[in-house]
Amino acid sequence: MSAPATPAVVLVGPPGSGKSTVGRVLADRLGLPFRDTDTDVEQAAGKPIPEIFLDEGEPHFRQLERAAVRAAVTGFPGVLALGGGAVMAEETRALLAPLPVVFLEVPLADAVKRVGLDAPRPLLAVNPRARWRELMEARRPLYLEVATTVAATGDRTPEQVADAVLDALELENPHV
């Protein structure tokens, strides 16, 4: 019996770093499927993430998120994007340890432009700029802990970031 499939690359980073956008570009370039654990959580709950936060609270959301990450890292052979806060769980960090993980680093100004200050993101609802900074202060060490490599996304197109990721991980890039 063969070992379960694992992701070719896992993308982590804060809201607005481009995990989903860059992930789709990477998946296309590698000829692999793309998966986003935030989408998995929404499908499992049958509602959008902001409604999960509102109806059941953040602890319930984090429980669903841990389950989604566990399922994805142990049986998905493609490009995987994790929700911004997934790395807060020790269990998730342990699951990521043997995998190629890329931290998509984004400056605050770029993240704000990408996310928008009125987007339905529950953890950024009140004073989004200050809250984003607080989240990064707490999460950045964890992103760095799990990352095999870091890719800067500021002033780069998703295609340029994908190229940097492929080069850093020495993955086959048919578009070069």
Side-chain angles (χ1 to χ4, degrees), residues 6-19:
T6 59
V9 61
V10 179
L11 302 176
V12 299
S17 62
K19 298 178 298 287

Side-chain angles (χ1 to χ4, degrees), residues 40-126:
D40 293 350
V41 167
E42 289 181 338
Q43 289 174 345
K47 60 177 111 176
I49 290 172
E51 287 184 27
I52 299 168
F53 268 75
L54 188 62
D55 297 345
E56 287 92 21
E58 185 177 358
H60 180 71
F61 167 76
R62 296 295 174 200
Q63 180 182 350
L64 294 173
E65 183 176 56
R66 285 190 304 276
V69 170
R70 190 178 325 109
V73 301
T74 58
F76 177 69
V79 176
L80 179 64
L82 302 189
V87 297
M88 295 185 319
E90 189 173 335
E91 169 190 351
T92 294
R93 294 193 307 275
L95 289 169
L96 294 176
L99 302 174
V101 178
V102 179
F103 166 28
L104 297 183
E105 193 166 37
V106 60
L108 171 61
D110 287 4
V112 167
K113 278 189 259 179
R114 294 175 189 171
V115 171
L117 295 180
D118 57 353
R121 296 188 187 251
L123 291 181
L124 298 178
V126 178

